[in-house]
């Protein structure tokens, strides 16, 4: 399978990164860590938000780039891809059996 052109890869990286941020609501989560009695609560909120944004950016970038490398490796090695897919299927079937036996 051919590797997509660089512009397509860059667009997919930005689309993945932006899509992950839509899933997270910073306003409701960070609000609980800001003390309203502090003289400058907006400053606390901005600092916490900046740290959260930086950590999320680094984490999501690492996830996206490692996922790209893994996808390329699986494209090159079809047997490895089939084995990993089968192993994941066996794990899910094992979990289903465990769940069934636990609820019986």
């Amino acid at each position: 399978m051919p590797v997509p052109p660089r512009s397509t890869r860059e667009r997919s990286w930005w689309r993945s990164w932006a899509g992950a941020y839509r899933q997270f609501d910073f306003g409701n989560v960070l609000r609980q860590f800001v003390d309203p009695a502090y003289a400058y609560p907006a400053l606390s909120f901005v600092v916490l938000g900046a740290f959260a944004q930086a950590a999320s950016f680094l984490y999501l970038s690492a996830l996206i780039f490692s996922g790209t490398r893994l996808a390329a490796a699986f494209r090159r090695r079809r047997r490895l891809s089939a084995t990993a897919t089968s192993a994941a299927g066996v794990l899910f079937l094992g979990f289903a059996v465990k769940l069934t036996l636990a609820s019986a």
Side-chain angles (χ1 to χ4, degrees):
M1 178 176 267
V3 177
R6 185 170 174 81
S7 63
T8 305
R9 283 184 289 169
E10 287 175 2
R11 266 185 287 156
S12 64
W13 182 82
W14 279 109
R15 195 175 318 126
S16 300
W17 187 77
Y21 276 104
R22 278 183 273 160
Q23 302 296 323
F24 193 72
D25 185 10
F26 282 113
N28 290 327
V29 173
L30 293 182
R31 187 178 309 159
Q32 63 187 338
F33 299 110
V34 174
D35 182 17
Y38 180 62
Y40 305 104
L43 177 66
S44 299
F45 190 77
V46 168
V47 169
L48 277 172
F51 278 124
Q53 289 284 2
S56 294
F57 179 79
L58 293 174
Y59 170 72
L60 289 172
S61 296
L63 259 175
I64 291 167
F65 286 126
S66 63
T68 303
R69 284 205 165 162
L70 275 174
F74 283 134
R75 254 187 251 111
R76 284 192 307 272
R77 299 177 183 96
R78 295 286 187 192
R79 185 175 296 252
L80 176 64
S81 177
T83 304
T85 303
S86 299
V90 167
L91 284 173
F92 276 113
L93 286 174
F95 180 67
V97 168
K98 181 180 175 183
L99 199 60
T100 302
L101 293 176
S103 63

